[in-house]
Each structure stands twice: as C-alpha cells, then as structure tokens.
C-alpha cells in the first residue's frame, strides 16, 4: 500500500494540566495542530477514494451517513473529554467541506 504512514507522531509537549506558561500552552496547541493537519490530510485522501469508488455522483451526499458519523463522533467525544458543543459543529463543518471536496474530486476525475 502507498500513502502516509499509519502511525502519527506528535511533537513532545507538556500536558495541558502541567502547562505553567502561555508559551507551553501555545507550544502544545501548535504541536496538536500539526498532528490534526496530518490526520485531516489522511481523511481527505479517504474522500478521494470515495469519489473514485462511488458508482454515481448522486451518492456523494448521504444524509444517513452524515448523521451516523456525527453520532459516532459524539459517542467518542464524551469519554475523551471533548465537549459536544465543540465536537458536533466542528464535525458537521468538516463533513460539509469533505463532501464539497468529494464532489470536486468526482467532477475532476470522473465527471
């Protein structure tokens, strides 16, 4: 298989609970942002794969799948300590943008 490695390395940082300065907080946030970028890039490649695999442009937007993804994210958010007030709108925006990307990829490669 090609593509990015399946493991993700996050730069060393102090835990949020141990952060004592704004520099440590910012360093931690920046490290996590770099990791999130790598994860979002991988997610985008799955959208590219979906555009390649789906038999019709008509099935790119799937309301049932959207609600399934959001429900799974909310179920995972609670035990991780992520507020649903952050998780749900972030994922709904992410899904919306990923669908737009998938439509663009579909049109560019198959339309």
């Amino acid at each position: 298989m090609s593509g990015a490695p399946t493991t993700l390395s996050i730069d060393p940082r102090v835990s949020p609970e141990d952060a004592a300065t704004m520099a440590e907080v910012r360093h931690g946030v920046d490290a996590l942002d770099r990791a999130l970028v790598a994860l979002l890039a991988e997610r985008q490649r799955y959208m590219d794969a979906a555009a390649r695999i789906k038999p019709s442009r008509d099935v790119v937007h799937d309301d049932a799948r959207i609600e399934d993804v959001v429900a799974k994210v909310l179920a995972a958010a609670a035990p991780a300590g992520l507020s649903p007030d952050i998780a749900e709108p972030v994922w709904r925006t992410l899904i919306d943008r990923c669908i737009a990307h998938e439509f663009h990829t579909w049109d560019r490669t198959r339309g």
Side-chain angles (χ1 to χ4, degrees):
M1 293 175 96
S2 63
T6 57
T7 59
L8 178 67
S9 175
I10 303 175
D11 296 343
R13 64 209 179 281
V14 301
S15 72
E17 297 77 17
D18 292 335
T21 68
M22 283 307 300
E24 289 174 332
V25 168
R26 290 178 179 138
H27 177 77
V29 168
D30 291 348
L32 292 171
D33 284 346
R34 284 187 294 276
L36 286 169
V37 166
L39 289 169
L40 290 171
E42 183 175 356
R43 192 181 199 285
Q44 178 181 303
R45 290 194 305 276
Y46 280 108
M47 298 304 96
D48 294 337
R52 174 177 45 82
I53 293 167
K54 287 182 179 175
S56 165
R57 190 180 194 277
D58 295 337
V59 298
V60 169
H61 186 274
D62 181 345
D63 286 329
R65 175 63 179 150
I66 292 168
E67 295 310 313
D68 178 58
V69 169
V70 170
K72 289 175 182 173
V73 164
L74 290 174
L82 177 60
S83 167
D85 293 335
I86 293 173
E88 185 166 359
V90 166
W91 257 266
R92 287 195 184 277
T93 300
L94 175 62
I95 292 165
D96 177 70
R97 296 295 75 221
C98 285
I99 290 169
H101 176 81
E102 189 178 336
F103 273 124
H104 175 75
T105 301
W106 173 275
D107 293 341
R108 183 176 43 82
T109 60
R110 297 179 66 183

